[in-house]
Amino acid sequence: MNYDRSELLKHYRTMVLIRSFEEALDGLFGQGVITGTSHFCMGQEASAMGSIAGLRPDDLVTSNHRGHGHFLAKGADSRRVMAELFGKATGYSGGRGGSQHMADFSIGFLGSNGITGGMTPIATGAALSQKLLHTGKVVLCFFGDGASGQGTFHEAVNMGTTWELPILYLCENNQYAMSTPTRQAFKQPSVAERAKGYGLTTSVVDGNDYFAVRKAVHDAAERSRVGEGAFLIEAMTYRLCGHSKSDACEYRPEEEEQAWAARDPLLLMAERLKQEGLATETDLEQARAEAYQEIEAAVQFARESPEPDPQTVADNLLVTF
Amino acid sequence: MAELFYSHAIRQALEEEMARDERVILMGEDIAGYGGAFKLTAGMADKYGADRVRNTPISEGGFVGVAVGAALTGLRPVVEIMFMDFLTLAMDQLANHAAKLRYQFGEQARVPMVLRTPAGAGRGYGPTHSQSLEKWLVATPGLIVVAPSTAEDAKGLLKSAIRCDDPVVFIESKILYGRRGEVPEGDYTVPLGEAKVVRHGEDVTIVAYSRMTEEALKAAEALAKYDIAAEVIDLRTLAPMDTDTVAASVEKTGRVVVAEEGHMTGGIAAEVVARIVESCFDYLQAPPTRIAAMDIPVPASPVLERAATPDWEDIGRAAAELVQKY
């Protein structure tokens, strides 16, 4: 695969942006500046950015409850994502959605959602539209290992593959559904192995390796686009934080956490870029500085944005009435 | 005017809308070759192709979600749920997704989907094939819920539902499928959200919908023999509910019976009565009365089923009592 250096650097910068976005959020929650909940994706930035790098810009993406990274990687405006976390009128959902419910159809992001597994059939329906309307686009559906226990996941995957739809089911297997380890919930912990039973083309990749994820998604997307049907990619990864902001994360072995921390996707990508002469330390330093600045600006934008008008609380429930 | 079965009127609406708009697709269990459990779509796959008349696996939660995603991205799916009881399997997709997407994502999001489903008792199908679960739906902001009682309204309301950019649950009646009614020629629609006065009277108002409208009209006919003039209102759309038409009638008659086929507790009749009490309490000459199914599963035996579900006699008796006592 030939890579465009400036694009790689941009993607590294976005991965740092995703990390620092959530680090900033963590601080803001701690200070009581923002309320509600958030599910951080720290440690999963490569599966988010690598996946989207493997797609074409106008391909479609659906996300889940752990969706900040997916949205930012797809090209969301970090200021409006932050404003949504602040519950402000300028947020992507005008303060109605919060952390788990944001969308921007203009960039092909069909939405994040708080029902585990809830978006898998919706993504499949979006893929049905692409097929029947001959758009040439594919749909990438992010979900986690936990969602693979839901009936909707199995039903959706079955339809996606039986109907030969242009869809990629992208499992970010971070090995814990909240506190429950995969091996405790499933006799067969591999999502890819289970999915094979539906006749799906599956693969397993190192989810912390941007390049591995990107290649797997790219290859599957281009095959799916020309009519080879549904694919499932299982990206093995790990949360470098708790399930949600209220989770102290006391259920995972320390050695396991340390081993995965050593494989932090930001470190892995930086090393690879330097080793292969695709970026210098100065380039990377500059990318990080830009990302931090962007987050500072996003926080400032969110702070200064107006609150939503309570008069509008019932607006936009229906188109017809 | 041509006379059509209620079921054929529904089929006509589907055919006309599919011919009018290529984005309209049908999905559901056994709807293609077999034509659906009630044969409403028989032959349509031959005419419109398997892509547009799509058999699904038995996966209500899955294919209702597929319809939500398809609706969000440019298609206008009409989904058949073989029996309303099976809607429970799709409630997450309806209540958590279809109903909320526009509210949370704003004007970029539209979910133009219709979910058609036959409801109600009267055929001895037993506890999981006879329910009227519309109360679950009207309690979910973001859904439009329609339940026509005549062939004319079934066709006109279904066409409106298909053209509407919101998620609509279209409740059909298994018993009414076999009823004939006059249907206007050509393309016409019936507006969503409007109740209809289907019989005029001054003594008592009977509010009903779907099959209970037929029972209410039978009751009104019987009451007329005793010189009681009942006004019958067919709600037609349950959400949003046309409270104004109901209130106008109650202000005139001062007495009201509300009839539904669903269970009594927390039901549609309870909602109608609450709205009447709030909006025209001063006009009431008698306590509003609910006629509904008993709060038990719908039993299979015809004898037990009749005992559990209301009919025209229950409605007529309640209306007569209101007029005589108050």
Side-chain angles (χ1 to χ4, degrees), chain B residues 134-320:
Chain B
E134 48 273 18
K135 68 165 91 169
W136 294 25
L137 305 168
V138 303
T140 303
L143 298 178
I144 294 174
V145 183
V146 180
S149 72
T150 65
E152 176 177 357
D153 282 349
K155 183 175 175 185
L157 282 166
L158 183 53
K159 285 165 76 84
S160 291
I162 293 171
R163 295 180 193 185
C164 155
D165 280 336
D166 294 305
V168 180
V169 181
F170 188 86
I171 300 170
E172 301 169 4
S173 158
K174 302 178 190 95
I175 298 297
L176 296 179
Y177 278 153
R179 300 282 192 267
R180 286 172 184 275
E182 300 258 291
V183 172
E185 306 283 347
D187 186 32
Y188 74 97
T189 58
V190 173
L192 302 168
E194 290 183 16
K196 186 179 181 186
V197 180
V198 292
R199 183 186 172 110
H200 293 276
E202 288 74 42
D203 298 325
V204 58
T205 301
I206 305 173
V207 182
Y209 61 92
S210 192
R211 183 163 79 91
M212 282 300 116
T213 304
E214 186 180 79
E215 298 294 315
L217 286 168
K218 262 195 239 174
E221 201 63 41
L223 289 164
K225 292 178 188 149
Y226 298 92
D227 283 333
I228 296 172
E231 179 144 299
V232 179
I233 294 176
D234 182 0
L235 287 174
R236 304 197 293 187
T237 298
L238 307 181
M241 195 178 275
D242 178 3
T243 313
D244 291 349
T245 299
V246 174
S249 175
V250 174
E251 285 173 16
K252 181 175 70 177
T253 64
R255 303 178 187 89
V256 62
V257 174
V258 188
E260 69 166 303
E261 207 179 325
H263 297 125
M264 177 75 85
T265 300
I268 304 297
E271 179 62 29
V272 173
V273 167
R275 287 171 186 238
I276 289 168
V277 170
E278 284 168 348
S279 64
C280 44
F281 184 79
D282 290 344
Y283 295 86
L284 286 172
Q285 297 168 35
T289 303
R290 288 179 293 164
I291 297 295
M294 292 171 72
D295 285 329
I296 52 172
V298 183
S301 146
V303 174
L304 297 177
E305 192 182 46
R306 275 198 297 276
T309 49
D311 63 10
W312 68 273
E313 288 182 292
D314 301 312
I315 298 167
R317 213 176 295 123

Side-chain angles (χ1 to χ4, degrees), chain A residues 35 87 108 170:
Chain A
T35 55
L170 195 294

Side-chain angles (χ1 to χ4, degrees), chain A residues 23-35 40 245:
Chain A
E23 284 170 348
L25 276 187
D26 202 24
L28 291 161
F29 272 116
Q31 294 158 29
V33 175
I34 53 179
T35 55
F40 296 155
K245 63 155 186 87

Side-chain angles (χ1 to χ4, degrees), chain A residues 289-307:
Chain A
E290 283 170 11
Y292 300 148
Q293 276 167 18
E294 183 176 328
I295 294 304
E296 273 181 42
V299 173
Q300 193 184 346
F301 172 82
R303 278 185 198 277
E304 292 168 359
S305 286
E307 295 285 353

